[in-house]
Amino acid sequence: MAADKHSSWSYTEGLPDEDDILLRARDRSHELGVAPVTPAVGAALTVLAAASKASTAVEVGAGAGVSGVCLLRGLGRNAVLTTIDSDVDHLRAAREAYSEAGIPSNRTRTISGRAADVLPRLTDAAYDLVFIDADKPGLPVYVEQATRLLKDGGIMIINDALDQDRVAEPAVREQSTNTLRQVGKMIRENEALVSALVPTGTGLLLAVKQRA
Ligand SMILES: C[S@@+](CC[C@H](N)C(=O)[O-])C[C@H]1O[C@@H](n2cnc3c(N)ncnc32)[C@H](O)[C@@H]1O
């Protein structure tokens, strides 16, 4: 019998057994009209955060806190997540999710503002992990800023890197799809980065800044 990629994808997405804290954060996301990371992406974020042994992380696009809780659960007990969102209601919901998850308030720094204004104010080479899940037009700037913010050995993670599965379709010329193609190329051609595109969720682009 031929293997079915879609069945494998559905199986993978159905595996994480999310607790009430994540399920409530998902409900709040939907109420606010925010698309949270898929369950398999959430699980991958926890693993990547744990594997990176990051002590400092930045998230662009807090939403209602689903991805933040997943990251914080993988990060070490003393690690701090700086998360940025331009919508104050989303940030309020994200704070509620962190609090319900029992995350001490000194482990999160929530910054309200447009990422293009906030990221340039963060310190060079001070972060072990940067997760990007916000507006598509801003992506080239966020990737440039993330590359500056990462320490050597740090990891950048971009969600929805396949733009709802449109990137692989050459006939699709939507602006967001072209931006994702451009950003993928920019990362692959950057000799300071090693990268991989993983088809979990709607694509996770992983890039590690190599030690000089
Ligand atoms: C897809 S949602 C993030 C979902 C979240 N990562 C999660 O999994 O729970 C995108 C978020 O980016 C925020 N956003 C959109 N444009 C932004 C910008 N220019 N700067 C900062 N945040 C922005 C939106 O308010 C929204 O909360």
Side-chain angles (χ1 to χ4, degrees), residues 34-37 61-63 65-67 85-87 90 113-115 133-135 142:
V34 173
V37 292
V66 173
S67 51
D85 205 292
S86 52
D87 189 308
H90 297 180
R114 289 162 47 85
D133 188 23
D135 59 306
Y142 307 157

Side-chain angles (χ1 to χ4, degrees), residues 69-184:
V69 168
C70 293
L71 286 166
L72 284 156
R73 284 179 169 170
L75 293 168
R77 250 186 280 163
N78 296 320
V80 174
L81 174 70
T82 297
T83 186
I84 304 162
D85 205 292
S86 52
D87 189 308
V88 288
D89 293 329
H90 297 180
L91 272 184
R92 192 177 304 119
R95 277 191 219 103
E96 200 176 334
Y98 308 152
S99 160
E100 284 188 5
I103 308 292
S105 58
N106 63 357
R107 289 198 51 212
T108 59
R109 180 165 65 138
T110 53
I111 304 180
S112 161
R114 289 162 47 85
D117 299 328
V118 176
L119 289 169
R121 303 206 300 261
L122 304 182
T123 310
D124 286 5
Y127 296 89
D128 303 293
L129 184 153
V130 180
F131 174 59
I132 304 173
D133 188 23
D135 59 306
K136 299 291 185 326
L139 254 180
V141 170
Y142 307 157
V143 167
E144 191 186 311
Q145 287 293 321
T147 310
R148 177 185 67 78
L149 295 176
L150 283 175
K151 296 177 189 171
D152 288 349
I155 183 166
M156 172 176 6
I157 308 166
I158 302 174
N159 190 41
D160 195 22
L162 290 169
D163 195 29
Q164 303 298 313
D165 295 314
R166 290 182 289 224
V167 164
E169 298 297 331
V172 180
R173 311 302 301 170
E174 301 274 333
Q175 203 165 358
S176 60
T177 314
N178 283 338
T179 301
L180 257 321
R181 291 187 183 117
Q182 176 201 337
V183 159

